[in-house]
Amino acid sequence: LAQGAAANGVAALRALTASELLRVYPSGKRVGSTNLDPLPTWRCGGQMAALNYQAHDRAVWINQGKFAANGGCGWVLKPPRLLCGASAAAALAPAPLLLRVSVLSGHDLPPPEPGLIERSLMRSTSRSSRRSLFASEGSGGGGRPDSPGSPNRCKPPARKSAVDPFVVIEVTGAAADAADKCSARTQTVSGGGENPEWGETFEFEVAEPDVAVLLFTVWDEDVLSADDFMGQYALPVRCLRRGVRCVPLRRADGTPHEGAPCLLVRVESESQKQEGKAI
């Protein structure tokens, strides 16, 4: 896909997928069970990106978030601009979006799952690529599963005596929305336990909101070892609703946690080309 886009341009692939089906596979020469990034496939108008569900990693989380739209029935409509010619697509292109996400608090957070996810294996968060409105900035990233067959997935892990949670936010979609340019991390709440409070607001400039996906991951910070995964949730930017909302947290494999762990967030956005309004 990357070679085709480089040789012919993204517009040529979009013209092809406007009338033809395109399914993208990972390289047949790979040895591990890693996943390809499905976002370039969707951005080019491709209908299917083949993923390995043995690896409950960032690619799978984003895929689950993408197809959470349309009632989670398994398919979603492509944006109209990906179904027409280049001239018409330019007229239908959405205006860039200024997205504000306030991470207010966490409620009944699940216990950490040590060793299941390695946050160091995810993309890092660039300190200079985001703007924190009300808090000092840090760095962060995400993770991928280290052991899909871990016994931690079969029974709830024991809760640590002290949990130091923080949240990583990523907006992904277009090339301009790469994780190293459109990601942020809250401060760590030392000893925050199950119900931490952050009250931090971040801004993201989303280049193509009709294909962008918003990903939340929650981690327990460890000083002497890798940070421990606690929960994740992804959803399309175009499905966001304004105001204060509860973001449910799921396990690495996408299944719900016991109880109802969630993040309390506030979402606002405004168009960059016309009079702003919240969505």
Side-chain angles (χ1 to χ4, degrees), residues 57 59 90 121 126 134 139-140 173 185 197 203 226 244 247 258 264 269:
D57 56 9
L121 297 178
S126 171
F134 299 111
S139 61
R185 185 199 129 148
E197 295 183 3
E203 282 189 357
V244 178
V247 177
E258 295 181 0
L264 193 65
S269 68

mmCIF file of all heavy atoms in Angstrom, residues 57 59 90 121 126 134 139-140 173 185 197 203 226 244 247 258 264 269:
data_model
loop_
_atom_site.group_PDB
_atom_site.id
_atom_site.type_symbol
_atom_site.label_atom_id
_atom_site.label_comp_id
_atom_site.label_asym_id
_atom_site.label_seq_id
_atom_site.Cartn_x
_atom_site.Cartn_y
_atom_site.Cartn_z
ATOM 1 N N ASP A 57 -3.357 -5.331 20.243
ATOM 2 C CA ASP A 57 -2.485 -4.167 20.281
ATOM 3 C C ASP A 57 -3.228 -2.918 19.825
ATOM 4 O O ASP A 57 -4.441 -2.913 19.625
ATOM 5 C CB ASP A 57 -1.232 -4.409 19.438
ATOM 6 C CG ASP A 57 -1.566 -4.778 17.993
ATOM 7 O OD1 ASP A 57 -2.749 -4.680 17.602
ATOM 8 O OD2 ASP A 57 -0.644 -5.166 17.253
ATOM 9 N N ALA A 59 -3.336 -1.384 16.994
ATOM 10 C CA ALA A 59 -4.040 -1.501 15.717
ATOM 11 C C ALA A 59 -5.426 -2.120 15.900
ATOM 12 O O ALA A 59 -6.407 -1.669 15.297
ATOM 13 C CB ALA A 59 -3.210 -2.340 14.738
ATOM 14 N N ALA A 90 -12.467 17.145 -3.503
ATOM 15 C CA ALA A 90 -11.932 18.370 -2.909
ATOM 16 C C ALA A 90 -13.040 19.240 -2.349
ATOM 17 O O ALA A 90 -12.896 19.869 -1.293
ATOM 18 C CB ALA A 90 -11.123 19.135 -3.946
ATOM 19 N N LEU A 121 6.496 -0.282 23.970
ATOM 20 C CA LEU A 121 6.445 -0.788 22.610
ATOM 21 C C LEU A 121 5.495 0.002 21.729
ATOM 22 O O LEU A 121 5.412 -0.238 20.544
ATOM 23 C CB LEU A 121 6.023 -2.268 22.616
ATOM 24 C CG LEU A 121 6.997 -3.206 23.323
ATOM 25 C CD1 LEU A 121 6.442 -4.627 23.294
ATOM 26 C CD2 LEU A 121 8.370 -3.161 22.695
ATOM 27 N N SER A 126 5.199 12.899 21.836
ATOM 28 C CA SER A 126 6.154 13.989 21.740
ATOM 29 C C SER A 126 5.760 15.130 22.657
ATOM 30 O O SER A 126 4.639 15.591 22.632
ATOM 31 C CB SER A 126 6.221 14.478 20.286
ATOM 32 O OG SER A 126 6.982 15.645 20.205
ATOM 33 N N PHE A 134 -4.001 23.560 30.846
ATOM 34 C CA PHE A 134 -4.078 23.854 32.265
ATOM 35 C C PHE A 134 -3.103 23.059 33.113
ATOM 36 O O PHE A 134 -3.142 23.121 34.327
ATOM 37 C CB PHE A 134 -5.499 23.575 32.779
ATOM 38 C CG PHE A 134 -6.535 24.407 32.106
ATOM 39 C CD1 PHE A 134 -7.442 23.824 31.248
ATOM 40 C CD2 PHE A 134 -6.593 25.766 32.310
ATOM 41 C CE1 PHE A 134 -8.399 24.593 30.619
ATOM 42 C CE2 PHE A 134 -7.547 26.534 31.685
ATOM 43 C CZ PHE A 134 -8.452 25.955 30.836
ATOM 44 N N SER A 139 5.264 13.171 28.961
ATOM 45 C CA SER A 139 5.405 12.362 27.763
ATOM 46 C C SER A 139 4.692 11.072 27.991
ATOM 47 O O SER A 139 4.475 10.644 29.103
ATOM 48 C CB SER A 139 6.882 12.110 27.441
ATOM 49 O OG SER A 139 7.484 11.408 28.492
ATOM 50 N N GLY A 140 4.294 10.436 26.890
ATOM 51 C CA GLY A 140 3.552 9.197 27.048
ATOM 52 C C GLY A 140 3.545 8.418 25.765
ATOM 53 O O GLY A 140 4.109 8.803 24.782
ATOM 54 N N GLY A 173 -5.527 9.188 12.183
ATOM 55 C CA GLY A 173 -6.345 9.184 10.976
ATOM 56 C C GLY A 173 -5.507 9.525 9.771
ATOM 57 O O GLY A 173 -4.906 8.673 9.141
ATOM 58 N N ARG A 185 -0.537 13.293 27.148
ATOM 59 C CA ARG A 185 -0.546 12.479 28.361
ATOM 60 C C ARG A 185 -0.855 13.345 29.564
ATOM 61 O O ARG A 185 -0.318 14.454 29.695
ATOM 62 C CB ARG A 185 0.815 11.816 28.549
ATOM 63 C CG ARG A 185 0.865 10.862 29.723
ATOM 64 C CD ARG A 185 2.285 10.590 30.177
ATOM 65 N NE ARG A 185 2.419 10.805 31.605
ATOM 66 C CZ ARG A 185 3.245 10.131 32.387
ATOM 67 N NH1 ARG A 185 4.039 9.221 31.877
ATOM 68 N NH2 ARG A 185 3.298 10.375 33.672
ATOM 69 N N GLU A 197 -8.368 12.142 40.053
ATOM 70 C CA GLU A 197 -8.847 13.379 39.448
ATOM 71 C C GLU A 197 -7.683 14.056 38.724
ATOM 72 O O GLU A 197 -6.596 14.171 39.272
ATOM 73 C CB GLU A 197 -9.431 14.316 40.509
ATOM 74 C CG GLU A 197 -10.676 13.776 41.195
ATOM 75 C CD GLU A 197 -11.261 14.760 42.191
ATOM 76 O OE1 GLU A 197 -10.712 15.888 42.298
ATOM 77 O OE2 GLU A 197 -12.254 14.414 42.859
ATOM 78 N N GLU A 203 -5.581 20.245 23.453
ATOM 79 C CA GLU A 203 -6.082 20.615 22.138
ATOM 80 C C GLU A 203 -5.399 19.791 21.061
ATOM 81 O O GLU A 203 -4.194 19.542 21.133
ATOM 82 C CB GLU A 203 -5.832 22.101 21.849
ATOM 83 C CG GLU A 203 -6.801 23.036 22.538
ATOM 84 C CD GLU A 203 -6.636 24.465 22.049
ATOM 85 O OE1 GLU A 203 -5.725 24.709 21.221
ATOM 86 O OE2 GLU A 203 -7.408 25.337 22.481
ATOM 87 N N ALA A 226 8.243 -1.497 33.699
ATOM 88 C CA ALA A 226 7.358 -0.944 32.677
ATOM 89 C C ALA A 226 6.006 -0.572 33.277
ATOM 90 O O ALA A 226 5.525 -1.216 34.219
ATOM 91 C CB ALA A 226 7.168 -1.965 31.552
ATOM 92 N N VAL A 244 -19.961 16.806 28.764
ATOM 93 C CA VAL A 244 -19.303 15.867 29.661
ATOM 94 C C VAL A 244 -19.823 14.459 29.380
ATOM 95 O O VAL A 244 -21.031 14.232 29.370
ATOM 96 C CB VAL A 244 -19.540 16.252 31.133
ATOM 97 C CG1 VAL A 244 -18.897 15.235 32.067
ATOM 98 C CG2 VAL A 244 -19.000 17.648 31.410
ATOM 99 N N VAL A 247 -16.433 7.685 29.337
ATOM 100 C CA VAL A 247 -15.725 6.820 28.393
ATOM 101 C C VAL A 247 -15.523 5.461 29.064
ATOM 102 O O VAL A 247 -14.730 5.344 30.000
ATOM 103 C CB VAL A 247 -14.363 7.419 28.003
ATOM 104 C CG1 VAL A 247 -13.607 6.477 27.073
ATOM 105 C CG2 VAL A 247 -14.552 8.783 27.357
ATOM 106 N N GLU A 258 -15.281 -6.075 34.693
ATOM 107 C CA GLU A 258 -16.327 -6.210 35.687
ATOM 108 C C GLU A 258 -16.622 -4.846 36.295
ATOM 109 O O GLU A 258 -15.733 -4.019 36.462
ATOM 110 C CB GLU A 258 -15.892 -7.196 36.781
ATOM 111 C CG GLU A 258 -15.709 -8.625 36.284
ATOM 112 C CD GLU A 258 -15.312 -9.576 37.399
ATOM 113 O OE1 GLU A 258 -15.196 -9.103 38.546
ATOM 114 O OE2 GLU A 258 -15.118 -10.763 37.121
ATOM 115 N N LEU A 264 -14.209 10.206 33.008
ATOM 116 C CA LEU A 264 -15.131 11.321 32.816
ATOM 117 C C LEU A 264 -14.379 12.399 32.042
ATOM 118 O O LEU A 264 -13.346 12.902 32.498
ATOM 119 C CB LEU A 264 -15.615 11.854 34.161
ATOM 120 C CG LEU A 264 -16.816 12.810 34.134
ATOM 121 C CD1 LEU A 264 -18.057 12.082 33.632
ATOM 122 C CD2 LEU A 264 -17.070 13.392 35.519
ATOM 123 N N SER A 269 -15.344 21.013 20.169
ATOM 124 C CA SER A 269 -14.587 21.155 18.932
ATOM 125 C C SER A 269 -15.146 22.314 18.129
ATOM 126 O O SER A 269 -16.281 22.742 18.331
ATOM 127 C CB SER A 269 -14.633 19.872 18.099
ATOM 128 O OG SER A 269 -15.939 19.657 17.620
#
